[in-house]
Amino acid sequence: MMTTETVNVQDEKKSAFLGSISSAFQGAETYATLRKSAWDTLSKFAIPGTKTEAWKYTRVGKVINHSWMKSHGNSQINLPEIAIGGLRYVFVDGLFRADLSDELTYPGLNIRRTGENAENNLLGTLSNHQGDWFEALNAAFFNDGLVIEVDKNAQIDRPVHLVFFTSEENTASFSRNVLSLQESSSLHVFTHYIGSEHSTFSSVVTEAFVGKNAALKIDKIQEGNETAFHHVDWTKQDRDSRFDITTVTLKSSWVRNDLNIRVAGENCHSSLTGAYLPSGKEHVDNHTMVDHMVPNCESDEKYKGIVRENATAVFNGKVFVRPDAQKTNAFQQNANIVLDDTATMFSKPELEIYADDVKCSHGSTTGQFDEEAVFYLRARGIGEVMARKLLVEAFLADVITTLSDERLQTYCTEKIQQLMHS
Amino acid sequence: MLHIKDLHANIDGTEILKGLSLDIKPGEIHAIMGPNGSGKSTLASVLAGNEDYEITGGSVTFGDKDLLDLSTEDRAREGLFLAFQYPVEIPGVSNINFLRTAVNEIRQYKGEEPMSAGDFLKLVKERSALVELDGKLANRSVNEGFSGGEKKRNEVFQMAMLEPKLAILDETDSGLDIDALKIVAQGVNAMRSPERSFVVITHYQRLLDYIVPDFVHVLYKGKIVKSGSKELALELEARGYDWIKEEVSA
Ligand SMILES: Nc1ncnc2c1ncn2[C@@H]1O[C@H](COP(=O)(O)OP(=O)(O)O)[C@@H](O)[C@H]1O
Ligand SMILES: [Mg+2]
């Protein structure tokens, strides 16, 4: 898909931005072909703006009108402790920190940094660096990340716990991961994106390949303060596989998530859930795409948000059912509570169905708090604040409970309550 | 226990309660009957503190408190309970969690320690048995997917859990078959005590065979227009409301 349009070269803003980024992030020698193709995209197309359909509701000034630096890679940080017994790998401002991480070895896994054995993996084979300007930006400048391969038949009993911490003022970080599950293997990945109170930009692209009969679960929690998050997940599913992903955006000044799933083998199950609760001037944009390429698959999508104060949230969920994809079962739901007149929700579910024997449904609701329910709870002696708390928890519960570990669920529920009452 | 004096209330600028007075002493059961639209549910909502209604005159005291000064939750914590005519469904909030929160917020208000999980579950078991409410329903979301009868029994179950001083039952019998009605009545009767009072709003005399009232009042056009003993209910059942309407307009 080409969504950006060609403009003349003297786009000063663009050259200023790319100029400063490339002087900060020069010197990456690996993945030359990918980077060249990404550069072509960056130079050929304009920075996405209102006229770019996929970026229509998301202003990119927060990222573009900023002069970003590369981190020195040695900041002292206080890692938040979410102990889930995982294999923890930590990146600070985009760079791997062996001092904060577990060993890159585990039975059934082959884990290495993207720079090692570079030309021998699937990196860049799925992403849209030729069509999407921001994906190209990541492809051109990424300088670290992990390639995680799961052996055939390996059921990995510990979750992989990735932490992407953005810390230093005015730093950008560009990371790139590959998850590759061989036949009949399974893996749970928990990715925690954390931003300090400084202005930072975190761009992470993850390409996942779920082999035959394999199962991948990804739990994503995003919490920044002044961080701008651009996170892209591409997943390709082979036959009889299962892919589940939960994205919880707790806080961040600017978030753009792109989640794209190519269902390329029959008899697959894909589930995508998300929760967001922007407040203040925050902006959260979730773009999802499920591409049903073959018959007999099902996808189940549910995104829920609470938007308040001057915040804006965007949900754009595309489901393609290609002509061959008969007997597809695709379900999509987006439900929102908009608490203030000054808050904005753009919800755009899109179903494009080219097969005739399918079951597809989508729904989008945007409403207010159920005041009758608040009254009912209060009439039983529950204080108003607690009543609203229970209802917020209830509204988001069917998303939060899809997080694969109860400790993550508790973590999010507590954070949500704190955020709703701050 | 409850003194309502010359109460006036509006909704959206329309006066619904037009000078209503009622006195309830501890241990009494009062039945309120009256044609549809006469203001029975309005009275219940106003007493429970529904802010959609504007109080334009009169007073209500509950125990030694000015009821109209209290928030909805504080009225409940002081011991007022309303079994809703139309209980709302609250998806995602479990009946049990919600009740535990309610019980403990009420206890905290009274300066008591939270109830232990064990004691709470024991109480749930005992009180849900009173209305023959399946234990499974207690674990479901509040009223979600409950049948009409289950919703009404759930209201009485909550009443039994919260042990109020005054319970207002708004058409808790409507839409119930005779077996369900007996169960509801049995729950209410089990909770009767010399300190606890009930206001039973109903259309049908039938319920009053099982919950025997001390007084029966007729509410019409926003006022109590007639009060009597339980025989009044039988008379209303036999003669309908037209004679009352005539008496009022005469
Ligand atoms: N929002 C409203 N605006 C105006 N009138 C209302 C509103 N809601 C209810 N009413 C009126 O209030 C009157 C009393 O209703 P209600 O208390 O429910 O009666 P009952 O419970 O005795 O059947 C009815 O005539 C009804 O039409
Ligand atoms: Mg009524």
Side-chain angles (χ1 to χ4, degrees), chain B residues 11-12 14 16 35-43 53 85 171:
Chain B
I11 187 157
D12 299 336
T14 311
I16 311 291
N36 265 332
S38 54
K40 302 183 297 295
S41 292
T42 302
L43 173 64
Y53 298 89
Q85 181 174 2
E171 296 206 27

Side-chain angles (χ1 to χ4, degrees), chain A residues 370 372-387 390-391 393-395 397, chain B residues 49-50 72-73 76-77 81-82 84 88 90-93 98 101-102 105-106 143 155 158 162:
Chain A
D370 182 354
E372 235 189 299
V374 175
F375 181 66
Y376 188 89
L377 297 172
R378 293 176 68 195
R380 297 299 179 248
I382 297 175
E384 180 164 5
V385 169
M386 175 64 88
L390 287 175
L391 292 172
E393 207 174 306
F395 177 69
Chain B
N50 188 330
T72 296
E73 49 269 43
R77 293 161 179 172
F81 182 91
L82 168 60
F84 287 88
V88 293
I90 315 183
V93 175
F98 139 72
T101 308
E105 288 215 13
I106 292 170
N143 294 321
E155 294 292 289
Q158 292 174 32
L162 301 180

Side-chain angles (χ1 to χ4, degrees), chain A residues 308-342:
Chain A
R308 61 203 169 101
E309 297 168 359
N310 294 299
T312 305
V314 181
F315 172 80
N316 183 305
K318 284 197 174 97
V319 176
F320 291 110
V321 181
R322 299 212 197 174
D324 282 344
Q326 299 295 357
K327 307 277 183 200
T328 293
N329 236 321
F331 173 82
Q332 185 192 69
Q333 192 201 352
N334 176 230
N336 302 287
I337 294 179
V338 176
L339 288 182
D340 302 292
D341 293 345
T342 44

Side-chain angles (χ1 to χ4, degrees), chain B residues 67-78:
Chain B
L67 188 79
L68 301 179
D69 254 7
L70 300 177
S71 65
T72 296
E73 49 269 43
D74 281 351
R75 295 178 195 202
R77 293 161 179 172
E78 287 289 337

